[in-house]
Amino acid sequence: MTETSSTTDEAEAAFLDLHAQREDLERQLSMARMRQQFGTGQDDVERAGSEEKTLLLSLDRVLTQIRAAEYRRRPNSRRW
């Protein structure tokens, strides 16, 4: 295996990992929203709301990284 294909494989693995992180965060976000809607106690509902805010920040970070990775995958993309 050449250096270029090794780098490409690593970039592909990192890209797929970002999508796995996105999927996990979206699942956790759905669960937090359900706990807010159907929570049994006020403390649980408030905790789920706080968790939702944290998850949204994390999701935004991962989506930004995905957008950057998608740009880098384009042919002739500019390198900063």
Side-chain angles (χ1 to χ4, degrees):
M1 188 180 313
T2 65
E3 181 78 25
T4 304
S5 67
S6 174
T7 304
T8 303
D9 291 343
E10 290 173 9
E12 184 68 18
F15 185 72
L16 294 175
D17 183 56
L18 284 171
H19 277 285
Q21 288 179 42
R22 176 197 48 80
E23 186 177 336
D24 183 52
L25 286 166
E26 288 174 343
R27 189 174 301 116
Q28 289 180 48
L29 191 56
S30 293
M31 295 300 291
R33 288 179 176 159
M34 282 189 231
R35 285 195 310 276
Q36 278 183 295
Q37 188 173 8
F38 303 110
T40 56
Q42 188 62 28
D43 289 342
D44 291 336
V45 172
E46 289 174 5
R47 206 171 315 123
S50 177
E51 183 181 341
E52 179 185 30
K53 290 176 187 174
T54 303
L55 290 168
L56 284 170
L57 288 172
S58 296
L59 182 59
D60 180 60
R61 177 188 51 80
V62 169
L63 288 174
T64 300
Q65 291 175 344
I66 288 172
R67 281 191 298 276
E70 287 173 343
Y71 178 80
R72 285 190 301 270
R73 292 165 61 101
R74 291 175 34 197
N76 301 320
S77 63
R78 190 168 127 186
R79 300 290 184 238
W80 303 102

